[in-house]
Amino acid sequence: MLLASAVVVWEWLNEHGRWRPYSPAVSHHIEAVVRAGPRAGGSVVLGQVDSRLAPYIIDLQSMNQFRQDTGTLRPVRRNYYDPSSAPGKGVVWEWENDNGSWTPYDMEVGITIQHAYEKQHPWIDLTSIGFSYIIDFNTMGQINRQTQRQRRVRRRLDLIYPMVTGAMPKAQSWPVSPGTTTSPPAPPCSCPQCVLVMSVKAAVVHGRTGPLQPPGTRKNMAPSGVGKLPPPPGPGAKPPDSAGTIRGPGKTAPSQVIRRQVSNTPSGATVGSPTSPQGSNRKTGRVALATLNRSSLQRLAIAQSRVLIASGVPTVPVKNLNGSSPVNPALAGITGILMSAAGLPVCLTRPPKLVLHPPPVSKSEIKSIPGVSNTSRKTTKKQAKKGKTPEEVLKKYLQKVRHPPEEDCTICMERLTAPSGYKGPQPTVKPDVVGKLSRCGHIYHVYCLVAMYNNGNKDGSLQCPTCKTIYGVKTGTQPPGKMEYHLIPHSLPGHPDCKTIRIIYSIPPGIQGPEHPNPGKSFSARGFPRHCYLPDSEKGRKVLKLLLVAWDRRLIFAIGTSSTTGESDTVIWNEVHHKTEFGSNLTGHGYPDANYLDNVLAELAAQGISEDSTAQEKD
């Protein structure tokens, strides 16, 4: 039991191991179902409060979020925060995506940012909580400490998250206690969907394996055709565990039960005994799914699916029926039954399996790629260009502005007509000199540009902080390694007419150099060699050639903090997405993906790599 006042934030666990908050409105909706107890049914349909979450259902018994169209299960939790923190004030901190939309920070990060904001700090360094970012409150920007890339951030007011006071049960204790008094079940539902569901359940419970008869044909059946249902587990049965399953000798079955009665059963009778008076045997009238074994549950799910399809009911696919899931395979079937009983159409299917790698390939089957020289490329640490001061480098890209406009310098936020507000190490240039970048036309204090250049990679290139236009050749801080590339005789999903380009990246652990976050400190290299895949099409080969340029410029990887594990001083991807899943797309890093090649070309262009770059590399 938790005591005292707190705000409740419902959160879900993403694929990177980070707990992501639901919005205040969704948290209020979930909390209302939790407080209603077992009478509310034990599941939350998120689409009822946010149409964008229509595919998602939360099962409060197992504390999992279930996505209907993919079968994906993610843990959820009910977390508590101080009422004086950001969620207790309705404050949401968000960062801007590449597509211009806004994404809220994790609750822990948002609270940290809000605390610094309230203390009127000019900026906050998030390194202490595992993120290599600085939030600048003057510019309302997020700065990546490794790449110096900037994004906009904003502070938005929303609903206050739900408040709890006094003794509140933890989420795992739902329902409040086994002894909690519940009201009698609702009267039988007579909608066609429930009639259909109950007919399927009755068929499976009685072991019927033949084709199901439509509901209309069952009305003329003799009452003796309805047998008694298996009773619920007795007092000796083990209690459900946190995943909502009942443990038996060698078997696991979900403990959820369906409380609806067969709608065409005469009033005052139960399924177990058509002539029994109402309430005389209510427990045996419930569908005790916990007593069914795995094959029976799967047979129930498939039978229901067939009947729904045959009846012409529009269906939504629900997956996760095979045994590879850590959750009991029957959970998807029971979810489908629960959804159907609630009037939500469902079609149960089997999901594709995760296929990370292609079938085995012999050395003789591996071929070089036409139009691409060699089959591997190594990279070593490149030395920064010497002999030129930062002022001399920037002079190539700037035009002097004699009469600055009445605008702010977006680096120091001082007026361009006033001296630079930069307070760091003093460049040799005067603080009141103003320059205009030759290609994009943005105007800054030259003093500020020199300071920004000194804080970067100092490779002779400059990136406009406003529009991201790159001047010169941008290079990165990728540690030494090897890139291999060749053809294998297999096709990717969505590209049946061509072979596959396989890329293998190998980077060993080592010691960080002066360009890295912690010079002289060792860094790790997890998950290498990393295998990536491209279709051997015209556009796929184009992407490969540009990736080779990015590799030579040390832009594929960097050293920083892993967003997956939270480990610092390790090799991480550097904003150019790769497909690491060969035969499926369950993680979002596989095929088919119709937009991937165009997206990665855009990401490479943002790093200053285009078709012109290949010609520059040859020169």
Side-chain angles (χ1 to χ4, degrees), residues 428-439:
T428 58
V429 67
K430 294 181 180 180
D432 58 352
V433 176
V434 175
K436 179 173 73 172
L437 291 172
S438 57
R439 285 165 52 199

Side-chain angles (χ1 to χ4, degrees), residues 470-491:
I470 295 173
Y471 294 82
V473 177
K474 179 181 178 181
T475 60
T477 60
Q478 174 182 293
K482 183 179 181 181
M483 175 183 180
E484 300 174 75
Y485 42 94
H486 49 249
L487 283 181
I488 57 175
H490 300 290
S491 298

Side-chain angles (χ1 to χ4, degrees), residues 62 68-69 167 195 272 278 280 326 342 433 494 517 537 568:
S62 63
Q68 303 171 45
D69 53 350
V195 173
Q278 185 174 4
S280 64
V433 176
S537 60
S568 58

Side-chain angles (χ1 to χ4, degrees), residues 261-302:
Q261 304 291 332
V262 178
S263 60
N264 59 348
T265 302
S267 177
T270 66
V271 178
S273 177
T275 59
S276 301
Q278 185 174 4
S280 64
N281 195 15
R282 192 179 303 277
K283 290 185 178 179
T284 59
R286 297 179 181 178
V287 180
L289 292 178
T291 63
L292 302 181
N293 59 26
R294 171 174 169 175
S295 60
S296 294
L297 286 165
Q298 288 188 337
R299 193 163 68 248
L300 185 156
I302 295 170

Side-chain angles (χ1 to χ4, degrees), residues 85-266:
S85 62
K89 299 177 180 179
V91 174
V92 180
W93 283 90
E94 300 174 319
W95 55 275
E96 188 178 27
N97 277 317
D98 291 336
N99 60 9
S101 60
W102 294 90
T103 300
Y105 284 97
D106 296 354
M107 192 55 64
E108 173 193 3
V109 179
I111 289 174
T112 302
I113 297 173
Q114 175 64 16
H115 180 73
Y117 180 85
E118 291 175 348
K119 295 290 185 181
Q120 297 184 343
H121 294 167
W123 50 271
I124 174 69
D125 189 341
L126 301 179
T127 305
S128 61
I129 57 174
F131 294 91
S132 186
Y133 296 107
I134 292 175
I135 305 299
D136 188 334
F137 295 120
N138 292 324
T139 63
M140 288 301 282
Q142 169 191 280
I143 304 169
N144 186 313
R145 297 188 63 188
Q146 273 78 47
T147 65
Q148 299 301 309
R149 180 175 181 178
Q150 297 187 27
R151 295 181 185 271
R152 291 195 299 164
V153 301
R154 72 178 183 183
R155 178 179 181 268
R156 180 174 60 82
L157 293 179
D158 203 328
L159 292 173
I160 295 175
Y161 277 89
M163 301 284 294
V164 292
T165 305
M168 291 297 296
K170 294 183 180 180
Q172 287 78 3
S173 63
W174 190 97
V176 177
S177 66
T180 301
T181 304
T182 60
S183 60
C189 178
S190 59
C191 73
Q193 189 81 348
C194 290
V195 173
L196 196 58
V197 171
M198 293 308 299
S199 68
V200 174
K201 290 186 287 192
V204 176
V205 169
H206 298 310
R208 184 185 304 165
T209 58
L212 293 172
Q213 296 178 348
T217 62
R218 291 200 305 275
K219 291 182 179 180
N220 298 325
M221 293 176 62
S224 61
V226 182
K228 290 188 177 182
L229 296 174
K238 295 184 179 181
D241 62 14
S242 60
T245 59
I246 292 180
R247 302 299 181 188
K251 293 184 180 180
T252 301
S255 65
Q256 297 173 336
V257 295
I258 308 298
R259 290 179 167 82
R260 292 186 181 270
Q261 304 291 332
V262 178
S263 60
N264 59 348
T265 302

Side-chain angles (χ1 to χ4, degrees), residues 66-73 294 298 317-330 332-333 347-355 581 583-586:
F66 179 75
R67 178 164 179 163
Q68 303 171 45
D69 53 350
T70 64
T72 303
L73 286 165
R294 171 174 169 175
Q298 288 188 337
V318 175
K319 303 178 181 178
N320 201 37
L321 287 179
N322 67 4
S324 63
S325 169
V327 180
N328 191 305
C347 174
L348 295 165
T349 62
R350 295 182 183 274
K353 294 182 179 180
L354 180 67
V355 182
E581 194 176 344
S584 56
N585 196 17
L586 301 186

Side-chain angles (χ1 to χ4, degrees), residues 453-536:
Y453 180 84
N454 283 330
N455 288 329
N457 201 25
K458 292 182 282 210
D459 58 358
S461 70
L462 179 72
Q463 188 166 15
C464 174
T466 299
C467 66
K468 310 305 179 187
T469 299
I470 295 173
Y471 294 82
V473 177
K474 179 181 178 181
T475 60
T477 60
Q478 174 182 293
K482 183 179 181 181
M483 175 183 180
E484 300 174 75
Y485 42 94
H486 49 249
L487 283 181
I488 57 175
H490 300 290
S491 298
L492 292 165
H495 300 275
D497 300 328
C498 61
K499 297 179 181 179
T500 296
I501 298 171
R502 179 168 61 184
I503 303 171
I504 304 175
Y505 293 111
S506 300
I507 295 180
I511 304 298
Q512 298 182 51
E515 73 275 27
H516 293 135
N518 297 296
K521 186 178 179 180
S522 62
F523 67 87
S524 61
R526 312 292 184 193
F528 288 94
R530 299 187 185 182
H531 292 229
C532 308
Y533 305 95
L534 292 169
D536 183 33

